[in-house]
């Protein structure tokens, strides 16, 4: 079985914690309201890509799982 394709949504403090724990076990993709933040995570954690918008994350059939690490006030909408 191949490595899972996981997208981290939210590239702040909590996202960093998850990225550190997952980077050796999955291929990571990143999405953040700030594209610069997502690109910084891509560079730091050796991920596979960055998404430009949240709906693209959900519609990409290659993504196996999404980790929501965004601010709590947007969780309901994202879920």
């Amino acid at each position: 079985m191949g490595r899972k394709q996981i997208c981290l949504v939210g590239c702040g403090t909590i996202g960093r914690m998850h990225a550190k724990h997952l980077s050796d076990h999955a291929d990571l993709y990143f999405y953040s309201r700030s594209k610069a933040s997502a690109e910084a995570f891509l560079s730091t954690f050796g991920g596979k890509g960055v998404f430009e918008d949240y709906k693209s994350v959900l519609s990409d059939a290659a993504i196996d799982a999404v980790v929501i690490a965004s601010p709590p006030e947007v969780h309901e909408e994202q879920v």
Side-chain angles (χ1 to χ4, degrees), residues 9-68:
V9 174
C11 297
T13 303
I14 300 301
R16 181 172 298 280
M17 180 191 68
H18 287 296
K20 284 180 184 178
H21 291 211
L22 291 169
S23 62
D24 290 337
H25 306 287
D27 292 332
L28 298 180
Y29 295 79
F30 304 98
Y31 167 74
S32 181
R33 292 178 290 184
S34 161
K35 186 177 177 186
S37 295
E39 289 173 342
F41 268 50
L42 178 66
S43 176
T44 300
F45 298 105
K48 296 289 186 176
V50 168
F51 283 92
E52 299 263 340
D53 64 78
Y54 185 67
K55 290 185 180 187
S56 295
V57 173
L58 299 178
S59 64
D60 190 320
I63 299 299
D64 296 306
V66 174
V67 174
I68 296 179

